[in-house]
């Protein structure tokens, strides 16, 4: 980082701390006891998949790794922004297993040299009256944020702030 970067307000990007994901099981307990939010058993990793054989090989390796435990197969989806989502599911819903699976995916992508393409990891929860929440880990910032969608491009900001306040001592959260 040079003087010009400091003057222009640029900062060195935070490197992802994949071990931060292992704080999610205790946060899940807090969500369950305080807000009656139950884990869905689903977690996902989003990344920008470059073209080519290398990423196809990594995706195949990740699928083989996660499918080896006999659980539900890993799903792949693409969103309208060009990101690929690998979705892992555990049954019954088990946050530690989901976190372990997501960590394995992230580690595989990092070791293959695709670390800069990582966007987020998320673990989802469902509450009474079908309230939906995801705890999202931003790789580039090294922080989590609660995401509570209520409809097409709409969020429950008040609920997100409530979750953030509840988990502020358990997870590194976005300010």
């Amino acid at each position: 980082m040079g003087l010009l970067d400091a003057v222009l307000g640029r900062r060195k990007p935070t490197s992802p701390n994949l071990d931060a994901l292992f704080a999610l099981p205790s946060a899940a307990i807090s969500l369950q006891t305080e807000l009656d939010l139950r884990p869905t058993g689903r977690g996902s990793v989003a990344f920008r998949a470059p073209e080519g054989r290398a990423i196809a090989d990594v995706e195949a390796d990740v699928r083989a790794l996660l499918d080896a435990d006999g659980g539900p197969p890993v799903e792949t989806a693409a969103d309208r922004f060009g990101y690929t989502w690998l979705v892992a599911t555990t049954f019954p819903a088990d946050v530690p297993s989901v976190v372990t699976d997501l960590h394995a995916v992230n580690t595989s992508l990092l070791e293959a040299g695709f670390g800069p393409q990582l966007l987020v990891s998320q673990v989802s929860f469902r509450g009474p009256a079908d309230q939906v929440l995801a705890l999202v880990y931003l790789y580039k910032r090294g922080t989590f944020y609660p995401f509570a969608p209520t409809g097409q491009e709409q969020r429950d900001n008040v609920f997100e702030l409530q979750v953030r306040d509840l988990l502020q001592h358990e997870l590194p959260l976005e300010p």
Side-chain angles (χ1 to χ4, degrees):
M1 300 294 304
L3 179 63
L4 183 60
D5 291 328
V7 170
L8 295 175
R10 297 184 200 142
R11 4 178 242 178
K12 187 176 180 180
T14 304
S15 60
N17 175 13
L18 300 183
D19 291 341
L21 294 173
F22 290 114
L24 284 172
S26 68
I29 293 169
S30 296
L31 291 173
Q32 188 169 347
T33 58
E34 298 292 326
L35 301 175
D36 198 25
L37 290 166
R38 310 264 181 214
T40 63
R42 292 175 62 89
S44 55
V45 174
F47 60 97
R48 181 156 325 262
E51 298 294 323
R53 178 163 175 97
I55 193 65
D57 289 344
V58 170
E59 280 188 53
D61 291 345
V62 165
R63 283 177 174 281
L65 175 68
L66 297 182
D67 291 344
D69 65 0
V74 176
E75 302 169 36
T76 303
D79 66 19
R80 64 185 173 140
F81 302 108
Y83 287 94
T84 299
W85 291 80
L86 292 176
V87 182
T89 306
T90 61
F91 185 79
D94 181 35
V95 174
S97 294
V98 169
V99 167
T100 301
D101 289 349
L102 297 180
H103 191 273
V105 170
N106 294 327
T107 302
S108 296
L109 290 168
L110 279 174
E111 288 175 355
F114 296 113
Q117 282 82 15
L118 289 171
L119 178 65
V120 299
S121 278
Q122 70 175 20
V123 175
S124 60
F125 300 84
R126 187 168 298 279
D130 285 334
Q131 189 167 32
V132 177
L133 174 77
L135 290 178
V136 181
Y137 179 71
L138 296 163
Y139 296 108
K140 304 241 186 297
R141 307 269 314 215
T143 56
F144 289 88
Y145 71 89
F147 176 68
T150 58
Q152 186 68 18
E153 296 188 24
Q154 295 179 346
R155 297 168 61 174
D156 185 345
N157 293 332
V158 173
F159 183 60
E160 290 174 355
L161 291 173
Q162 182 183 7
V163 170
R164 186 194 69 191
D165 290 344
L166 174 67
L167 300 178
Q168 68 183 342
H169 298 294
E170 295 188 49
L171 300 172
L173 295 168
E174 278 290 293

